[in-house]
């Protein structure tokens, strides 16, 4: 193992409340307790692939002391994929050398961590992963920071929408983030007692949904709330905002809320509106839970650097923070299991 003097850190993919908590904890432990130099790489893998004058920033304890409460990431982010074009991964490794970075903490979701794994496998890059996603869809960890904040925001939104839905006797469809996994929708649906919660894992039954709202109207409740994941498929494919794909091949989802609202109105005759929560779910200050989890992840990631646990990722298992291999971490998408979905479905009506 090459000696570590300088630790780099980057944040990739969609931002999540809690990223700054990890940055603060890694920096503080590495600089204050282990005596490493710490640098932040700006804009995810882009900062190494297409460096700009500000792509690297020194990080000291004083720089990160008060960032725990701040949403977003002080390092910025991108969806740059160094494995999209041949030769780019080599450029990333070379740039790390030029920046004098001996070890890297990569904070991200399956895309960012997938790149970290390949760099470790292909070039022996000394890398530690830290799981981040509001979507909570990484299988190797019980949960990710950002998820609790996103669920809290979506729950609050649905609670607010209920009062206006009731006043105007409308159904409101609330479109929530989540491509392949409905964790945020499921959590917010349960917590806000939505009348119907729809997730990508379970095919929606439009006849049953229409009947449910008709029955509600018959008993005098001509209003209701539907929480729906952006990745729910109504007919044969995702509803997207544009045909373009990002560097990891993802389409930009969006539109299911509007389509579903039209369908519900047509079938029930009840006025139906839709609201897209979108990036509000990723914005603002992290909840206390996410501040604590991100701090614990960051401290354990720093320890993993010190131990030379290269090619691993920090993860929550029960109440412990452990390390697992990046291979395990990026293996499969964690979806909402049937029995948990039941906790939402039981209260439909
Ligand atoms: O971080 C994942 C996610 O929140 C998905 O649920 C969503 O589809 C995506 O980000 C949208 O991100 P952006 O608009 O920033 O590409």
């Amino acid at each position: 193992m090459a000696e570590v003097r300088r630790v780099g850190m980057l944040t990739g993919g969609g931002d999540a409340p809690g990223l700054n908590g990890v940055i603060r904890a890694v920096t503080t432990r590495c600089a204050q307790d282990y005596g490493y130099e710490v640098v932040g790489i700006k804009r995810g893998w882009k900062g190494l692939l297409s460096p700009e004058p500000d792509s690297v920033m020194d990080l000291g304890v004083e720089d990160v002391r008060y960032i725990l409460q701040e949403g977003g990431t002080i390092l910025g982010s991108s969806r740059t994929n160094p494995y999209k074009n041949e030769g780019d991964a080599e450029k990333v490794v070379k740039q790390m050398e030029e920046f004098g970075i001996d070890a890297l903490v990569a904070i991200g979701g399956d895309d960012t961590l997938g790149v970290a794994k390949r760099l470790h496998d292909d070039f022996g890059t000394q890398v530690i992963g830290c799981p981040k996603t509001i979507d909570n869809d990484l299988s190797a960890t019980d949960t990710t920071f950002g998820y609790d904040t996103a669920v809290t925001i979506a729950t609050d939104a649905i609670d607010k929408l209920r009062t206006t839905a009731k006043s105007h006797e409308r159904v409101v469809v609330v479109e929530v983030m989540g491509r392949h996994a409905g964790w945020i929708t499921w959590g917010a649906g349960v917590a806000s007692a939505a009348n119907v919660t729809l997730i990508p894992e379970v095919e929606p039954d439009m006849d049953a949904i229409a009947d449910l709202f008709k029955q509600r109207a018959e008993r005098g409740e001509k209003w209701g709330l539907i929480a729906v994941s952006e990745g729910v498929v109504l007919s044969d494919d995702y509803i997207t905002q544009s045909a373009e794909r990002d560097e990891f091949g993802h389409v930009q989802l969006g539109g299911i809320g509007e389509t579903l609202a039209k369908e519900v109105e047509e079938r029930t005759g009840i006025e139906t509106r839709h609201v897209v929560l979108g990036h509000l779910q990723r914005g603002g200050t992290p909840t206390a839970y996410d501040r604590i989890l991100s701090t614990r992840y960051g401290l354990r990631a720093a320890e993993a650097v010190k131990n030379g646990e290269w090619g691993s990722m920090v993860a929550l298992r029960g109440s412990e923070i452990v390390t697992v291999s990046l291979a395990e971490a990026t293996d499969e998408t964690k979806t909402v299991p049937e029995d948990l979905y039941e906790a939402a479905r039981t209260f439909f009506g």
Side-chain angles (χ1 to χ4, degrees):
M1 152 179 155
E3 193 196 341
V4 175
R5 275 186 300 252
R6 198 164 153 94
V7 178
M9 193 167 20
L10 61 79
T11 54
D15 64 351
L19 281 166
N20 287 327
V22 180
I23 295 167
R24 172 176 174 264
V26 171
T27 303
T28 305
R29 184 64 98 219
C30 282
Q32 172 186 280
D33 301 326
Y34 299 157
Y36 296 141
E37 285 175 28
V38 183
V39 292
I41 297 150
K42 302 282 288 286
R43 306 174 193 90
W45 297 115
K46 192 176 181 189
L48 291 170
L49 186 59
S50 323
E52 293 175 40
D54 69 345
S55 282
V56 80
M57 64 192 269
D58 292 334
L59 289 176
V61 175
E62 290 311 318
D63 301 310
V64 297
R65 195 178 291 282
Y66 301 114
I67 66 171
L68 178 62
Q69 298 86 335
E70 271 179 43
T73 160
I74 61 164
L75 298 179
S77 192
S78 71
R79 293 193 189 272
T80 299
N81 179 3
Y83 277 94
K84 184 161 187 270
N85 299 311
E86 219 181 304
D88 280 358
E90 285 79 359
K91 283 188 201 159
V92 162
V93 173
K94 194 154 172 282
Q95 193 59 54
M96 270 183 67
E97 280 166 22
E98 277 176 28
F99 284 151
I101 295 168
D102 314 301
L104 183 68
V105 177
I107 313 163
D110 50 355
D111 296 331
T112 306
L113 297 172
V115 171
K117 180 195 173 291
R118 290 182 72 175
L119 292 176
H120 175 69
D121 292 350
D122 296 348
F123 305 97
T125 302
Q126 304 197 131
V127 64
I128 303 295
C130 177
K132 164 255 40 161
T133 164
I134 63 165
D135 295 335
N136 194 38
D137 58 357
L138 291 172
S139 58
T141 184
D142 288 357
T143 193
T144 46
F145 62 84
Y147 174 62
D148 185 64
T149 306
V151 170
T152 302
I153 291 169
T155 301
D156 183 48
I158 299 172
D159 284 348
K160 288 189 169 111
L161 289 165
R162 177 173 292 104
T163 62
T164 175
K166 264 175 147 172
S167 306
H168 288 270
E169 298 198 301
R170 287 171 178 154
V171 173
V172 179
V173 179
V174 188
E175 183 177 306
V176 178
M177 276 185 173
R179 288 166 182 276
H180 310 293
W183 287 105
I184 307 175
T185 314
W186 171 80
V190 171
S192 68
N195 303 97
V196 172
T197 299
L198 300 174
I199 61 176
E201 293 86 337
V202 181
E203 203 185 323
D205 179 342
M206 280 314 300
D207 291 337
I209 294 166
D211 283 349
L212 183 150
F213 285 104
K214 280 188 217 158
Q215 281 164 20
R216 283 178 56 80
E218 274 166 24
R219 62 175 198 254
E221 292 183 310
K222 208 177 155 205
W223 60 273
L225 274 310
I226 302 178
V228 60
S229 300
E230 62 184 351
V232 164
V233 173
L234 261 198
S235 43
D236 56 350
D237 206 355
Y238 291 127
I239 302 178
T240 57
Q241 287 294 298
S242 89
E244 274 180 40
R245 289 179 183 268
D246 70 17
E247 293 198 5
F248 288 93
H250 307 302
V251 287
Q252 195 188 335
L253 295 179
I256 181 72
E258 188 176 5
T259 305
L260 186 61
K262 281 188 188 135
E263 182 88 17
V264 170
E265 184 166 301
E266 258 174 44
R267 284 170 176 257
T268 63
I270 305 170
E271 189 187 5
T272 304
R273 299 287 180 93
H274 76 279
V275 171
V276 180
L277 296 186
H279 298 93
L280 278 173
Q281 292 158 98
R282 301 210 305 237
T285 186
T287 58
Y289 181 88
D290 283 336
R291 294 181 201 187
I292 294 166
L293 182 61
S294 58
T295 298
R296 294 184 70 204
Y297 276 164
L299 292 175
R300 185 65 184 87
E303 195 185 319
V305 168
K306 185 161 162 279
N307 296 343
E309 297 174 59
W310 311 124
S312 67
M313 180 191 86
V314 298
L316 180 71
R317 290 279 169 87
S319 58
E320 300 293 309
I321 306 290
V322 299
T323 50
V324 297
S325 76
L326 274 172
E328 189 185 338
T330 52
D331 199 25
E332 58 178 306
T333 303
K334 180 175 71 181
T335 52
V336 179
E338 183 63 33
D339 58 331
L340 272 188
Y341 185 57
E342 252 328 281
R345 190 161 30 204
T346 303
F347 299 97
F348 282 13

